[in-house]
Amino acid sequence: MKWTAGRGGLSLAVVAALAAVTACTSSPQPQEDADRTAAPASRPALLAAERATERAGSAAVRSSAVMGTTLSLDATGALGWGDGLTGTLTITYTGGTTAETMRELGITTMEARYLSDAYYARTGEAFAARTGGKHWIRYAYADLQGLGAGANFADQMRNITPDRSVRLLLDSDDVHTVGEETVDGRPATHYSGTVEIADVSDSALKEQLEQAGVTGETVDIWVDDRDLLVKKVEKGRTTAGEYRQTAHYSDYGTEVAVEPPAAADTADFTVLLEEQGGGSTP
């Protein structure tokens, strides 16, 4: 079962594409309130939003991301975070050099399934023809540590939650209330602030951002009357160029049920590398 994309070509393209989603939405564990530096006027509302979103446990997600000239994509689906990450995203690659690589492999849209120990990527018919008819690739979180995507990559993949932006704003001392607006037909309060990475209190999140070359972000969030995050926009710059990620959240508490694909239709990422002669992750 040989594949011809060049050593690691598909694996790195797929992982980079998913990393663009997770890097803008991954979430560390909550910090103690005393560690937070948000402006006093906004702190109570932000803390309420953080807690309500965490308690909800799941939501429908609709997002878009642009990472310089490397990648732009759209993603839709539903995610749960009550006990680790579970859920499904449909990811459409809309532009950038990574999307060009994916198109060469016959992939423009990909389904990703998140489970407790791994995520699964459905690569489509064109690539299945190169893998003995198998449509899915399994990426064990433990195996992703060797991809050069940062020491916390596996944690990023396991911890996608919509309150990450709230937690960033709680580390900012210039948060202000923009005003009341309507988002997806619902009234919401708009908060905005600039976050200096040097001020981020969570060490794992700080390391993740530093590895991406981020020094600061502009973060905007919209919170509804139930203290739930309904929209967020993050903007900044990394070593790969400017990035912008927008996400809309709805249907909090929605049921999230996900099953691994059939084993007979699944190829393991590390096995694909070995069969191509790579031996180990690049």
Side-chain angles (χ1 to χ4, degrees):
M1 182 172 65
K2 295 289 185 178
W3 52 304
T4 59
R7 182 178 182 269
L10 175 75
S11 59
L12 291 177
V14 171
V15 170
L18 288 173
V21 178
T22 59
C24 293
T25 55
S26 63
S27 174
Q29 292 299 311
Q31 298 295 296
E32 295 297 326
D33 292 354
D35 295 335
R36 320 316 267 279
T37 58
S42 61
R43 181 195 296 270
L46 293 177
L47 287 172
E50 178 187 40
R51 291 164 180 161
T53 302
E54 181 183 8
R55 285 195 302 267
S58 64
V61 182
R62 171 170 52 90
S63 69
S64 62
V66 179
M67 305 289 288
T69 61
T70 303
L71 179 68
S72 61
L73 59 80
D74 297 327
T76 60
L79 297 171
W81 53 89
D83 184 19
L85 177 69
T86 58
T88 302
L89 290 177
T90 299
I91 301 169
T92 302
Y93 306 97
T94 56
T97 54
T98 297
E100 292 173 2
T101 300
M102 303 292 277
R103 281 194 294 270
E104 291 173 0
L105 297 168
I107 303 169
T108 57
T109 299
M110 185 183 69
E111 178 184 339
R113 295 184 186 178
Y114 298 84
L115 286 97
S116 61
D117 61 340
Y119 79 88
Y120 296 79
R122 193 181 197 283
T123 58
E125 298 295 338
F127 190 76
R130 310 181 187 196
T131 58
K134 295 186 177 182
H135 295 85
W136 293 86
I137 301 177
R138 179 181 184 272
Y139 293 84
Y141 295 123
D143 293 337
L144 297 178
Q145 297 287 0
L147 283 173
N152 298 313
F153 190 85
D155 290 334
Q156 295 174 35
M157 299 301 292
R158 281 190 291 255
N159 291 287
I160 303 175
T161 68
D163 56 350
R164 185 258 199 182
S165 298
V166 183
R167 291 170 180 168
L168 280 175
L169 284 181
L170 282 165
D171 287 327
S172 171
D173 60 4
D174 73 340
V175 181
H176 61 280
T177 303
V178 178
E180 299 300 314
E181 301 175 13
T182 300
V183 178
D184 297 331
R186 293 184 59 87
T189 304
H190 180 183
Y191 301 92
S192 182
T194 300
V195 182
E196 299 297 330
I197 304 309
D199 296 332
V200 173
S201 58
D202 184 89
S203 59
L205 176 58
K206 184 175 182 179
E207 181 181 357
Q208 169 197 333
L209 294 168
E210 288 176 341
Q211 287 174 340
V214 178
T215 58
E217 285 193 339
T218 300
V219 180
D220 289 80
I221 64 171
W222 288 258
V223 178
D224 70 8
D225 57 4
R226 299 171 298 167
D227 296 323
L228 293 171
L229 193 70
V230 292
K231 180 182 176 181
K232 66 86 172 278
V233 176
E234 294 185 31
K235 295 180 290 184
R237 175 177 288 276
T238 71
T239 51
E242 294 183 354
Y243 65 88
R244 178 187 179 98
Q245 204 265 358
T246 301
H248 295 251
Y249 304 99
S250 61
D251 297 329
Y252 277 93
T254 187
E255 181 179 356
V256 176
V258 58
E259 297 288 339
D265 198 25
T266 302
D268 191 89
F269 161 67
T270 55
V271 173
L272 290 178
L273 289 183
E274 291 171 357
E275 289 178 344
Q276 198 187 6
S280 60
T281 56

